[in-house]
Amino acid sequence: MQKEAFQAAWPIVLGYIVLGIPCGILGVAAGMDVWMIAVMSLLFYSGAGQYMIPNMWLAGNPISAIIASVALVNTRQMLYGASLSQFCGSAGKRLAFIFGATVTDESFGVNLARMINGNWSVKHALLVNLFSLTSWTVSNVAGALIGSAISLPTALASFAMTSLFICLLCMQKVTPANLVAVFGSIAGVIACKCVGLAGPAILIGALVGVGAALAFSSVRHDDRNTTMKVGE
């Protein structure tokens, strides 16, 4: 079981090594100790959120904006849990809880595909999560130690966050609603910067994008219903 799980997890492990080291460097630059970064990597376990916290802190964002932004980004975990819950019926509550608490974007995709195809239990999926969690934590600690030993430009580590979100964006299905969300978010951030709201720009931009996409989807749905009634 361990061998099968590691074979499924090793691409995630390699990716987390590349992303975890600059994340640890960035955490040290924001004033965090190595042990803080280790605890956050083990318990918080949100790569995008873990990048956002030191980036937004270094940019001078208020604590409230950081919390709200990270919470908004992590709402996707509820969708992951809803999708995977159908495969946890035979698993114990403790096993299902630990499995659900360690799901990430990458392990979700790997485990869901195998669960749909069959012959992939919750124990297999949990091992994939734990291999991923271990590599993420070790890589963050290694990055923190490197950042403590030598001085590196934070812009280098910050670029990894930009790359991470670009990858997440490219993984999304290209639909009109998603395009509205992307361009709405960009417009919201630019508008905030222009009026001097640099602190909450990311949060406001994200809310503008989501709101625009919801409004667009609602109008489109109403138009379809109207067209169907006329056709009838």
Side-chain angles (χ1 to χ4, degrees), residues 100-163:
T102 54
V103 172
T104 63
D105 302 288
E106 295 77 13
S107 67
F108 167 75
V110 169
N111 286 323
L112 181 63
R114 283 168 170 75
M115 285 177 162
I116 292 175
N117 292 332
N119 298 323
W120 198 253
S121 66
V122 175
K123 290 183 178 180
H124 282 92
L126 176 58
L127 285 173
V128 171
N129 292 354
L130 293 179
F131 282 131
S132 305
L133 171 60
T134 302
S135 65
W136 176 255
T137 304
V138 171
S139 300
N140 268 266
V141 171
L145 293 173
I146 293 171
S148 301
I150 58 177
S151 179
L152 294 173
T154 56
L156 209 61
S158 299
F159 178 74
M161 178 187 179
T162 305
S163 302

Side-chain angles (χ1 to χ4, degrees), residues 180-181 183-189 192 202-214:
V180 169
F183 289 110
S185 299
I186 293 173
V189 171
C192 289
I202 297 176
L203 175 61
I204 294 175
L207 292 175
V208 169
V210 172
L214 289 174

